[in-house]
Amino acid sequence: MPELPEVEATRLSFAHRIAGARLLSVRMGKSLRWPLGCAAASLTGRTVLSVRRRGKYLLIDLDRGLLLLHLGMSGSLIFSQQLPEPGKHDHFEMVTTRGTLRLNDPRRFGAVVYAASEEAPIARKLLARLGMEPLSEDFSIELFHAGLKRRKAAIKQVLLAGDVVVGVGNIYASEALFLAGIRPTVSAARLSRPRVSRLHAAIRDVLARALAGGGSTLRNFSSASGEKGHFQLEAMVYAREGQPCRVCGKAIRSLRQGQRSTFYCPVCQKA
DNA sequence: AAAAGCCCCTGGATGC
DNA sequence: TGCATCCAGGGGCTTT
């Protein structure tokens, strides 16, 4: 479900409200991807300092230690002072003086992991491999090009891998490549400088627009405050196999790359 | 070092 | 209605 815009929209929707809250109780239900890594009860009494994002991870800074939270494929957060009884897919809950943060995740690919610090082994393992933040100043055409040059794999898969640039998931990878006019199967290393430049701009453009729309994507998304995405961003190619390209009219095609579906226009993305 | 596969899990849509 | 199959916006881990 969540790519960078959705994760960031989620963060923005509750970070300011939870900052300063003191933890009253923490409950970890049916196991997520990994165990919490500490006794839930031991977190009681700690204070939330801030909520940051790195890639698709949310980092909940406490006055001692931090929580790494990932929404996986089907996770969503809600932060509210009044919540109904937990449902069968509510696997993590943190009651605080400002409200309750609850993670709902039917598929349980998500995770909540405690780390004593960002330098702790578990935090390093999860965060160290992450590539550049696409919406940050650091994400330059030069560094992007340098990162792609040492990857011979298909550009779509390199984008998804997240070790060159983070946050570009399956939908936005297809969309960005369409905007840049690049065939998803071409080797990342073989992209010319001008094409890398176009892709760089396309990634920023599509992510920023989705974020501006409140994390709007094709399906339902709502932030931790219950705000729905605005759906202002319509897919050019994603999930549009057989439908006419919005630019040239040719039928959109799909293919499988690494067990994920990819969509592209055979005319607008010639190579 | 990089690439390719596998796997975790549940639910919704589709087909018979 | 029931059952089987396929697919889903992620990513860590193991094997080539």
Side-chain angles (χ1 to χ4, degrees):
Chain A
M1 176 183 182
E3 299 186 35
L4 185 146
E6 291 75 37
V7 177
E8 181 64 5
T10 297
R11 186 185 76 82
L12 291 171
S13 70
F14 80 101
H16 59 104
R17 290 187 291 145
I18 204 173
R22 193 164 48 83
L23 304 196
L24 300 175
S25 68
V26 175
R27 182 182 66 79
M28 184 78 162
K30 205 165 165 187
S31 71
L32 295 166
R33 198 180 224 283
W34 298 293
L36 182 57
C38 74
S42 69
L43 298 174
T44 299
R46 299 197 198 185
T47 300
V48 175
L49 300 181
S50 57
V51 183
R52 293 175 291 145
R53 180 189 56 75
R54 179 73 180 96
K56 294 171 192 164
Y57 282 93
L58 288 176
L59 311 185
I60 302 176
D61 292 302
L62 306 175
D63 54 345
R64 189 157 53 87
L66 72 156
L67 292 168
L68 307 175
L69 191 153
H70 200 291
L71 299 176
M73 197 82 108
S74 57
S76 63
L77 283 176
I78 181 95
F79 181 67
S80 170
Q81 297 184 13
Q82 203 151 6
L83 287 177
E85 286 300 298
K88 67 190 264 202
H89 298 308
D90 294 326
H91 304 305
F92 174 82
E93 193 168 82
M94 208 166 83
V95 181
T96 82
T97 50
R98 302 267 175 88
T100 298
L101 184 70
R102 178 182 286 179
L103 172 65
N104 181 274
D105 184 7
R107 292 178 72 180
R108 294 194 276 131
F109 288 171
V112 184
V113 175
Y114 174 79
S117 79
E118 270 183 82
E119 281 66 51
I122 181 66
R124 292 190 64 85
K125 184 179 76 168
L126 298 178
L127 302 177
R129 80 188 64 191
L130 298 182
M132 291 176 278
E133 285 291 335
L135 299 180
S136 79
E137 303 275 318
D138 303 344
F139 183 50
S140 67
I141 295 166
E142 288 68 30
L143 289 174
F144 188 35
H145 195 20
L148 296 182
K149 266 198 278 203
R150 62 183 100 94
R151 302 295 297 275
K152 294 200 169 103
I155 181 61
K156 161 78 176 343
Q157 294 185 261
V158 172
L159 291 179
L160 274 191
D163 46 7
V164 176
V165 61
V166 295
V168 184
N170 206 39
I171 293 180
Y172 298 126
S174 280
E175 294 297 312
L177 287 166
F178 173 82
L179 292 180
I182 296 170
R183 189 71 63 115
T185 47
V186 301
S187 163
R190 298 183 71 85
L191 287 173
S192 66
R193 176 57 163 246
R195 307 192 84 206
V196 169
S197 178
R198 290 190 65 185
L199 182 55
H200 177 269
I203 288 169
R204 285 200 159 175
D205 179 60
V206 73
L207 293 181
R209 272 163 45 213
L211 179 54
S216 60
T217 45
L218 314 179
R219 308 190 189 165
N220 15 322
F221 164 76
S222 56
S223 68
S225 58
E227 296 290 318
K228 300 283 187 201
H230 300 157
F231 293 86
Q232 67 172 41
L233 194 66
E234 71 177 349
M236 300 298 282
V237 291
Y238 185 80
R240 296 195 65 241
E241 181 180 14
Q243 296 174 52
C245 172
R246 300 190 200 282
V247 172
C248 77
K250 189 82 176 175
I252 298 301
R253 291 185 191 169
S254 82
L255 53 85
R256 302 286 292 181
Q257 290 179 289
Q259 288 107 250
R260 312 297 297 278
S261 56
T262 300
F263 301 87
Y264 69 99
C265 171
V267 173
C268 298
Q269 297 165 271
K270 274 237 169 297

